[in-house]
Amino acid sequence: MASASEGRALQARRSIIGFGCNQGFLLGLLYLGLIGAPGPDVAAPRLGLVVVLLAMMAALLLSASVGARPFVRRVEDALVATRGVPLTLFSLAVAMFAQLEALPWEGLAVLQGVLVGMPAALLLTAWGRALGQAPIEQSVPEVFIGSAVGAAACLIAASLPVVGSDLVVALLPLGSAVGLRALLPGPDAASPEDAQRDDALRGHDAAPVAEDGADLAGRILGGTAVYGAAAGAVEALAVRAGADGVTSIVLTLVLLVLYCAAALQLYGGSPLAGVRAILPQPEGPDAGPLDGAYRLAVLLMVSGLLFMPLLAGLGVPSESVMLAGYLGVLAVLVSLFLVMGRLSGRDASRAFARGLAALFAGELAGLGAGALVSASPLGPLAAPAGAARGGIAALYAYLFLFTDRDLRELSVAVERTDRFEEACRAIAEQAGLSRREAEILPLALRGRTSERMAAELFISKNTVDTHMRRIYAKCGVRNRQELIDLGERAERDAAGR
């Protein structure tokens, strides 16, 4: 038991450091102007951001495609196998070209999108696979702690009074890929048939939870796109900030670190140890780990709009507060994509790809709307209009698309799934079940008939019956009901840990 706990803690540390490096690089890429094209006016950084978002969205859509998934998986594995060195070299090269102005800024924007944006998106989907391996009670705190680590790294790089200190952020893909290499199995670790069978098994187990999941999944994607549009409106303001942009992003990063720390206070126990997350409002079966963090992020985002006059009087850019709230919502959405992947019975990379593609599409729409307003006769009103659009979009998504109650229900459902799987693992280890017997056990505990288990596992009914007799003997039970009772006791033990 001690070795298992130590292994889980080591996995958590690797996840936090590696995912923190990944988030720090993305923050630097999108908001620190790490490789932004130096142009003659505000159109240059805006074009750089648009091209990177377009490139990342293209890679994510490719990753979400069932037909292209095997190819994308090979590219992800290649990025991990090379420890992120190609992406790091591309980032440094483009950053140096930008500082030396060796290329036209339009061409540099395209170059950074293709060579940096697309690989960065694929590393992010690979983190969906890695984080999705852990129970939600462990992976959700890892997301928030990793986001805080990434924000702190960018904060240090942006605050150092050294020319070129932000280039340190370009080295972060090395840490991200090394973390993935330690967490993910090699590309030859499992055959495609094994992966397909595991997806089928988990998908059947998740089916009772996802009866109306299609409607909720659609609302979540819609809400994600609306949050992206809100972020795009705020980012359009940040692009207009010009010389004040560095001060603005530093404040945003400080607020993001504070938000992550506050969100973690909503959890009980030690998040690093992966203990069961407990929110203070509803305890027991109605508690979930994401709804409180979601409310807190939306509150921070909307407060930037509500207190705009006060913040302006204090010399605080309101867009920095709203952007911090959006990045907090992003941490919640990443956790939500893990939940959706868990409930679908597959790794979370496809949920990551679909959700983040919707998010970036919304951001592009918000940036486009901001550019249109700036170019129109309403240009002087662009700042209050952009802040209003961002705040209204956030409220609309929160009130009408997916709410904290939806997140609570999803969180509870996936925690039950985690407890069930943990109970199955415990029974299999204690009873010394074979691999095939361990595959049959969760189906038996779910009440599957021998005929249905045979059909799902592509074996004969007689073979299933033989395995079931061996399971009964090894577990010390006499029939299916006693086996189910044993499973329920194991689930209660898992919930009490």
Side-chain angles (χ1 to χ4, degrees):
M1 185 64 69
S3 60
S5 300
E6 291 173 0
R8 192 171 179 179
L10 178 61
Q11 182 191 45
R13 287 194 292 270
R14 288 171 173 171
S15 297
I16 289 169
I17 295 172
F19 187 67
C21 289
N22 193 79
Q23 293 302 89
F25 179 71
L26 288 178
L27 289 171
L29 177 63
L30 296 175
Y31 303 113
L32 277 184
L34 171 65
I35 54 176
D41 53 32
V42 295
R46 180 180 288 129
L47 177 65
L49 180 59
V50 166
V51 171
V52 169
L53 288 174
L54 280 172
M56 294 184 73
M57 189 171 69
L60 292 167
L61 289 174
L62 196 65
S63 182
S65 170
V66 176
R69 185 62 194 155
F71 168 75
V72 173
R73 181 73 171 265
R74 286 194 293 271
V75 176
E76 290 176 1
D77 290 337
L79 281 171
V80 173
T82 57
R83 295 178 172 85
V85 171
L87 176 56
T88 301
L89 293 178
F90 289 150
S91 303
L92 289 172
V94 174
M96 286 188 290
F97 282 143
Q99 291 191 354
L100 297 174
E101 300 186 16
L103 293 174
W105 60 273
E106 298 92 341
L108 188 63
V110 174
L111 192 65
Q112 70 185 20
V114 174
L115 295 182
V116 181
M118 296 186 78
L122 296 182
L123 269 186
L124 188 55
T125 58
W127 272 106
R129 276 195 286 152
L131 292 171
Q133 293 177 347
I136 291 298
E137 63 187 21
Q138 176 175 331
S139 60
V140 168
E142 288 170 358
V143 167
F144 284 100
I145 300 174
S147 298
V149 168
C154 287
L155 180 61
I156 294 171
S159 303
L160 287 176
V162 179
V163 177
S165 62
D166 55 342
L167 292 181
V168 176
V169 180
L171 301 176
L172 292 179
L174 296 174
S176 174
V178 168
L180 285 170
R181 188 179 176 91
L183 292 169
L184 290 176
D188 299 325
S191 67
E193 292 78 10
D194 289 339
Q196 184 177 8
R197 184 187 64 247
D198 292 342
D199 280 351
L201 286 173
R202 294 184 63 193
H204 282 301
D205 286 344
V209 179
E211 291 178 353
D212 53 2
D215 175 65
L216 180 57
R219 287 191 288 118
I220 287 174
L221 285 178
T224 300
V226 172
Y227 277 120
V234 176
E235 287 159 3
L237 298 180
V239 167
R240 288 170 54 87
D244 295 332
V246 175
T247 303
S248 177
I249 194 61
V250 166
L251 179 58
T252 295
L253 294 172
V254 170
L255 291 175
L256 177 58
V257 172
L258 294 176
Y259 163 78
C260 291
L264 287 168
Q265 295 304 311
L266 300 174
Y267 294 82
S270 173
L272 284 175
V275 298
R276 184 170 182 268
I278 303 175
L279 283 178
Q281 295 98 329
E283 296 185 356
D286 294 328
L290 287 177
D291 48 325
Y294 181 40
R295 285 193 300 273
L296 185 61
V298 173
L299 177 63
L300 180 60
M301 192 172 189
V302 175
S303 65
L305 171 64
L306 296 179
F307 297 104
M308 180 183 291
L310 177 61
L311 293 173
L314 296 173
V316 176
S318 61
E319 63 268 16
S320 63
V321 179
M322 296 183 69
L323 187 57
Y326 159 70
L327 293 175
V329 171
L330 178 59
V332 174
L333 290 174
V334 168
S335 303
L336 179 59
F337 301 151
L338 289 174
V339 170
M340 296 301 291
R342 188 74 168 168
L343 290 180
S344 71
R346 297 167 176 83
D347 69 64
S349 59
R350 284 192 65 200
F352 262 52
R354 294 176 62 199
L356 291 171
L359 185 76
F360 292 155
E363 285 192 56
L364 289 168
L367 282 168
L372 289 175
V373 172
S374 297
S376 71
L378 299 176
L381 300 176
R389 286 198 311 274
I392 291 172
L395 283 175
Y396 177 80
Y398 179 78
L399 294 175
F400 299 109
L401 292 177
F402 66 95
T403 67
D404 53 344
R405 181 176 180 181
D406 293 323
L407 294 187
R408 186 182 308 161
E409 291 175 354
L410 284 172
S411 300
V412 170
V414 80
E415 282 188 2
R416 290 171 180 165
T417 300
D418 283 341
R419 286 198 297 269
F420 175 77
E421 293 182 357
E422 186 175 347
C424 290
R425 284 193 296 269
I427 292 173
E429 290 176 4
Q430 293 170 5
L433 301 184
S434 67
R435 179 180 177 183
R436 177 64 80 180
E437 291 163 356
E439 291 173 353
I440 290 176
L441 177 64
L443 300 179
L445 293 178
R446 291 290 192 191
R448 303 288 199 272
T449 63
S450 296
E451 291 81 2
R452 185 171 175 182
M453 286 189 282
E456 292 176 7
L457 296 174
F458 305 103
I459 57 179
S460 69
K461 178 180 177 297
N462 289 336
T463 302
V464 171
D465 291 337
T466 299
H467 285 306
M468 287 299 299
R469 286 193 294 270
R470 292 173 180 168
I471 291 173
Y472 293 156
K474 291 180 179 180
C475 292
V477 298
R478 292 172 294 181
N479 52 48
R480 178 73 69 90
Q481 186 57 52
E482 291 186 4
L483 183 65
I484 292 175
D485 292 340
L486 176 64
E488 290 176 350
R489 289 195 298 272
E491 283 193 69
R492 286 194 295 271
D493 292 341
R497 293 192 182 101

